[in-house]
Amino acid sequence: MARTVSIGCQDFETLQREGYFYIDKTSFIKEWWEEGDSVTLITRPRRFGKTLNMSMTEQFFSIKYAGRGDLFENLAIWKEEKYRKLQGTYPVISLSFASIKDTNYETTRRKICQILTNLYSQYDFLLKGDYLNDKEKKFFESVTADMGDVEATFALHQLSLYLSRYYGKKVIILLDEYDTPMQEAYVNGYRDELVSFTRSLFNASFKTNPYLERAIMTGITRVSRESIFSDLNNLKVVTTTSDEYADCFGFTEEEVFTFSTFDTGNKPSEAAEPERFYHGFVLGLLVELSDRYTVTSNRESGFGRYDVLLEPKQGDDGIILEFKVQDTDDEKELSDTVKAALQQIENKKYETLLTEKGIPKEKIRKYAFAFCGEQVLIGKASD
């Protein structure tokens, strides 16, 4: 009997409980655990299954899921007794920065602090009994949305201490979409402030943390070691071109190699989605225009979501960019792909956001980027 494919479901337990279609990626757990790396950073484009794999990893290791072997029965990881004994035996701190998409440093910092506060609320039972001394209880209660930098940057470090003492085991930390705030910071001009704050947070959480067993971070970009990762010499980076975990994140080794060398012709869009790679690449180049434009990506406007939109801060023209990989079944030439992308801009009325802000239609430029392998064709909508 065919299983239902649940689009957008990122919770491993829900997939298993409801019997939705699921490709077994539990071998990732074994491969990652046996590598023995302290901190693993996995960078993949969006929709590569990163969040679902983080959910799977949390529910395998977390004490909160002790006795939930039923979630992993009939999957690859359950074949070995060693890993059956590991299920549900570690304190796991799991958090995500996916929702932090703000235009200024103050709001971004406050949201990160609120996420940390929510984490602490899950473990307020630690305040009962003698697990924490008076100073530790005072620190615990100081973790709020309005806390200072010292409390914020040490919050994960201290929570690791408290949980390791309570459970008698070091903790696993899982941080999903670590770089979402950083992308907004680059675009909106508060990069330096956020880098300083994030570097301190990561150093305390992942480098100088004796209560840490292992950690995984995921994102779509790799920020240079000279910035937020400058102190993390215990960090292993697994990129788009790495062979490690390729199959666990939805790719065969051949597909990873092909993707990294831009040879994307005739690859199934639902598997590789190469347009997202080009999208991210161009978005990174546009950072240099942050003094003239507010650059946004994948936001709603009109009847859909545009790929990239540049809203002028002064008198420049507004710009809309659409990316499309050639569908060789329907589009014989790259010029046909350009036309299809430009038509999408018109049909979806992506210019709505700009016109609502008073920008005349004649001052809105529309460009389509069409790709097939190493070939690129850029077209402009006629005035």
Side-chain angles (χ1 to χ4, degrees):
M1 180 178 178
R3 291 189 176 187
T4 300
V5 177
S6 177
I7 304 299
C9 181
Q10 297 178 320
D11 178 61
F12 179 76
E13 181 182 9
T14 299
L15 287 175
Q16 295 300 88
R17 183 183 65 245
E18 301 299 329
Y20 294 141
F21 180 77
Y22 173 71
I23 297 175
D24 186 355
K25 300 297 179 182
T26 57
S27 58
F28 164 76
I29 295 170
K30 177 182 177 181
E31 293 178 24
W32 171 63
W33 195 253
E34 293 184 355
E35 285 290 329
D37 301 307
S38 296
V39 184
T40 303
L41 169 62
I42 300 173
T43 61
R44 290 284 191 274
R46 291 183 178 91
R47 303 188 187 279
F48 267 55
K50 298 186 299 296
T51 299
L52 176 57
N53 275 275
M54 292 286 266
S55 173
M56 173 194 72
T57 303
E58 177 191 4
Q59 292 170 25
F60 182 81
F61 286 103
S62 178
I63 288 174
K64 295 179 182 178
Y65 287 85
R68 293 304 311 276
D70 58 295
L71 296 175
F72 298 91
E73 291 175 354
N74 303 316
L75 297 177
I77 194 64
W78 213 244
K79 294 177 181 179
E80 296 188 40
E81 183 179 0
K82 171 185 176 181
Y83 288 95
R84 292 197 296 270
K85 291 181 178 179
L86 273 180
Q87 197 278 321
T89 60
Y90 276 88
V92 176
I93 299 173
S94 179
L95 64 162
S96 172
F97 288 167
S99 63
I100 304 178
K101 301 178 180 180
D102 297 279
T103 58
N104 62 82
Y105 173 69
E106 291 74 19
T107 305
T108 296
R109 183 191 177 283
R110 185 176 176 83
K111 284 191 175 181
I112 292 174
C113 290
Q114 185 61 59
I115 288 172
L116 296 172
T117 301
N118 294 345
L119 265 180
Y120 269 63
S121 296
Q122 297 176 27
Y123 302 104
D124 57 6
F125 60 84
L126 293 169
L127 293 171
K128 303 174 183 179
D130 299 324
Y131 300 109
L132 308 182
N133 61 38
D134 290 342
K135 290 183 178 179
E136 290 169 339
K137 288 180 180 180
K138 184 177 180 180
F139 181 92
F140 194 108
E141 293 172 340
S142 73
V143 176
T144 67
D146 300 314
M147 62 184 151
D149 281 357
V150 172
E151 292 81 6
T153 56
F154 268 87
L156 290 177
H157 181 282
Q158 291 301 106
L159 186 57
S160 300
L161 163 63
Y162 304 154
L163 291 176
S164 64
R165 180 187 299 161
Y166 182 85
Y167 290 110
K169 298 187 75 170
K170 292 183 178 182
V171 304
I172 295 172
I173 300 179
L174 305 176
L175 172 55
D176 196 26
E177 297 202 31
Y178 84 92
D179 56 346
T180 297
M182 195 61 61
Q183 294 171 46
E184 298 296 329
Y186 275 112
V187 171
N188 292 291
Y190 58 94
R191 172 189 177 278
D192 291 344
E193 291 175 288
L194 188 60
V195 164
S196 179
F197 176 81
T198 305
R199 183 191 295 121
S200 296
L201 172 64
F202 284 5
N203 183 68
S205 304
F206 302 115
K207 175 60 178 177
T208 58
N209 186 351
Y211 316 105
L212 177 69
E213 178 66 39
R214 306 276 181 88
I216 301 176
M217 289 187 281
T218 70
I220 66 169
T221 57
R222 175 184 173 184
V223 179
S224 70
R225 290 181 181 272
E226 288 70 31
S227 53
I228 61 174
F229 297 135
S230 58
D231 296 328
L232 298 187
N233 57 11
N234 61 334
L235 175 73
K236 178 176 181 178
V237 180
V238 182
T239 67
T240 306
T241 56
S242 300
D243 289 339
E244 297 101 318
Y245 317 134
D247 185 57
C248 298
F249 278 79
F251 279 81
T252 64
E253 291 184 9
E254 179 183 4
E255 286 171 329
V256 169
F257 175 77
T258 301
F259 187 83
S260 68
T261 55
F262 287 41
D263 182 11
T264 54
N266 298 319
K267 288 290 182 185
S269 60
E270 66 271 20
E273 297 194 23
E275 63 271 25
R276 295 188 178 276
F277 179 88
Y278 296 109
H279 180 161
F281 176 73
V282 173
L283 193 61
L285 297 177
L286 295 176
V287 170
E288 297 295 327
L289 297 177
S290 59
D291 60 330
R292 293 170 52 195
Y293 288 93
T294 298
V295 183
T296 54
S297 173
N298 195 31
R299 304 282 179 86
E300 290 185 357
S301 181
F303 302 117
R305 290 178 176 270
Y306 54 79
D307 281 336
V308 176
L309 183 144
L310 287 77
E311 178 185 343
K313 293 182 177 180
Q314 296 182 359
D316 291 306
D317 290 351
I319 300 174
I320 299 171
L321 308 180
E322 186 66 19
F323 303 91
K324 195 173 189 302
V325 172
Q326 182 182 13
D327 181 350
T328 54
D329 292 331
D330 298 326
E331 299 151 2
K332 302 304 179 184
E333 304 291 339
L334 271 181
S335 58
D336 297 327
T337 307
V338 167
K339 291 177 183 177
L342 291 173
Q343 190 61 51
Q344 180 175 326
I345 294 174
E346 297 299 328
N347 292 344
K348 298 291 186 179
K349 298 187 180 301
Y350 290 153
E351 79 275 7
T352 300
L353 188 149
L354 294 174
T355 57
E356 287 179 348
K357 295 192 176 184
I359 300 174
K361 288 188 176 181
E362 60 268 22
K363 292 206 67 177
I364 300 175
R365 302 184 186 183
K366 303 167 185 176
Y367 295 93
F369 291 64
F371 308 95
C372 182
E374 296 181 355
Q375 294 183 313
V376 181
L377 182 64
I378 302 174
K380 178 180 181 293
S382 57
D383 297 328

